[in-house]
Amino acid sequence: MKSQTIAAVEPQTKTALIAEGGGQRGIFTAGVLDAWLENNYDPFDLFIGTSAGSQNLTSYLARQKGYAKRLIRGLSRHKRFFQLGRGLFGKSIVDLDWYFDKTKEVNRALDFKTATQNLGNRELLITTTNAADRKPYYLSPNGEDTQWLALLKASSALPFLYKDGVNLTPWLTTKAANDAIIQSSNTDLVHDMYLDGGLAAPLPVKEAYNRGARDIVVIRTVDENFQVQSEWVNKLKSLVCVSGYCPKTIDYLVQHEQAYQDELDFIANPPSDARITQIFAGDKLRSKLLGSTDSDLRYDHKLGLAAGRAFLQQQLLN
């Protein structure tokens, strides 16, 4: 009887797409994704979005080309959305409630049904930061419009700019919760408020790797030579907190910088079985977190379109 050698079949590599936050700079990401929608490009198994990135990924899955561009140029520049003066009266400087209420209107509605259908058995994770333990949580939408919008709002709720965060209690014991919450011995976590995912998970590349992704594509909303400013931030903290009182905003800023640096270190020295591709703008982005001009936003969207098309061309050559 002859022996037969059977070659080992390697499991299929999981591909992840990560969309960084960045406020109005997310219009660059919108451009990249619009270019991919033009070409029906969506080979990903796992999606992770932070803040504006989670909104971009949702409209991408909904196949709503131009949607994110329209909302960033429209709603995020509206005087109702961003008013520094409101902070003097104890109100939110950024009115996320108004913003997401507007997205329920017919002409601005996200197509969650189509997004759910296109997601299928794949996984979308929306990053948030728990206001109590300040840890990152990766939450999955369950297809329900109200729940999905709440996750998007929580992922974008920057402290100081928007109240104390978003209460996700009604959904944290369902499919929305990730394993870390379900298995946590701290049952009080489900009653806490949730904040912008960028505080604890500004660039969740390691999370994608830990969830099995080995081919990871990251859409960045900073310039390619961007460096965190941890030294400056720590110096600021020492000056501000010299009296013994340290505002939460400073602590959040320090945490963000450290988390960002950890991810940059991982990207610079990835595991041998990981391939990480970063997509940057071909020119310096002109838009800002908030307060961008319409011309700057249109310019950055064009940069995104160009970067998205260049990425597709490179895929054809590989």
Side-chain angles (χ1 to χ4, degrees):
M1 182 177 179
K2 293 183 178 180
S3 62
Q4 184 179 19
T5 301
I6 302 177
V9 178
E10 294 185 3
Q12 184 178 3
T13 301
K14 182 184 289 188
T15 302
L17 174 61
I18 296 173
E20 186 176 18
Q24 290 179 332
R25 285 188 163 211
I27 202 163
F28 170 75
T29 302
V32 173
L33 297 178
D34 282 345
W36 292 355
L37 287 176
E38 289 176 349
N39 292 273
N40 299 313
Y41 182 78
D42 180 7
F44 306 102
D45 307 294
L46 171 65
F47 304 85
I48 308 180
T50 293
S51 194
S54 62
Q55 297 177 48
N56 270 310
L57 290 180
T58 298
S59 61
Y60 174 63
L61 288 166
R63 304 299 188 248
Q64 290 175 281
K65 179 177 175 290
Y67 176 89
K69 173 188 176 184
R70 184 159 54 90
L71 261 64
I72 293 172
R73 289 182 58 200
L75 292 184
S76 79
R77 293 186 63 249
H78 196 283
K79 61 182 180 181
R80 174 67 186 271
F81 178 66
F82 174 53
Q83 288 184 25
L84 280 172
R86 282 197 296 251
L88 299 175
F89 301 96
K91 298 181 180 180
S92 296
I93 294 173
V94 170
D95 194 343
L96 285 181
D97 298 327
W98 172 83
Y99 179 94
F100 282 102
D101 281 344
K102 282 292 183 181
T103 65
K104 298 175 186 177
E105 297 176 357
V106 175
N107 63 331
R108 296 190 179 96
L110 278 162
D111 188 348
F112 293 112
K113 182 178 180 180
T114 298
T116 301
Q117 291 173 344
N118 285 320
L119 185 60
N121 294 324
R122 300 180 295 174
E123 190 172 22
L124 168 64
L125 300 174
I126 296 174
T127 67
T128 62
T129 301
N130 184 275
D133 65 15
R134 299 187 184 180
K135 293 180 180 179
Y137 289 85
Y138 304 89
L139 309 179
S140 300
N142 61 12
E144 179 193 338
D145 294 12
T146 304
Q147 182 257 10
W148 204 320
L149 278 176
L151 296 184
L152 294 178
K153 184 190 291 187
S155 188
S156 301
L158 277 169
F160 175 68
L161 296 182
Y162 176 75
K163 300 180 181 178
D164 299 315
V166 177
N167 186 347
L168 298 178
T169 301
W171 299 289
L172 288 182
T173 54
T174 67
K175 186 180 177 183
N178 62 329
D179 292 341
I181 295 178
I182 294 174
Q183 297 173 4
S184 174
S185 59
N186 184 0
T187 56
D188 291 336
L189 282 181
V190 298
H191 300 294
D192 289 331
M193 306 297 279
Y194 287 79
L195 300 165
D196 192 296
L199 299 173
L203 201 62
V205 179
K206 283 195 290 186
E207 184 66 24
Y209 181 83
N210 291 338
R211 289 176 181 262
R214 294 298 178 265
D215 192 357
I216 304 171
V217 178
V218 191
I219 305 177
R220 304 292 303 277
T221 54
V222 295
D223 298 321
E224 192 167 358
N225 60 355
F226 173 82
Q227 296 290 326
V228 296
Q229 303 179 53
S230 298
E231 183 177 347
W232 175 84
V233 170
N234 285 320
K235 184 176 182 180
L236 175 65
K237 180 178 180 180
S238 66
L239 292 173
V240 173
C241 305
V242 67
S243 64
Y245 170 72
C246 195
K248 280 186 178 181
T249 305
I250 298 296
D251 282 339
Y252 283 134
L253 187 57
V254 171
Q255 178 184 6
H256 165 82
E257 293 288 291
Q258 184 58 59
Y260 210 122
Q261 186 60 58
D262 289 346
E263 294 292 344
L264 291 180
D265 292 342
F266 183 84
I267 292 172
N269 298 283
S272 59
D273 61 343
R275 181 177 70 169
I276 301 173
T277 303
Q278 300 184 83
I279 300 177
F280 292 97
D283 195 4
K284 185 176 179 62
L285 292 171
R286 296 179 180 178
S287 55
K288 300 175 288 188
L289 178 69
L290 291 167
S292 307
T293 65
D294 187 57
S295 61
D296 286 346
L297 291 172
R298 286 188 285 110
Y299 180 82
D300 286 355
H301 184 263
K302 289 179 180 178
L303 289 179
L305 286 172
R309 291 164 183 161
F311 175 85
L312 293 180
Q313 284 294 114
Q314 188 61 45
Q315 296 305 297
L316 292 175
L317 297 175
N318 291 341

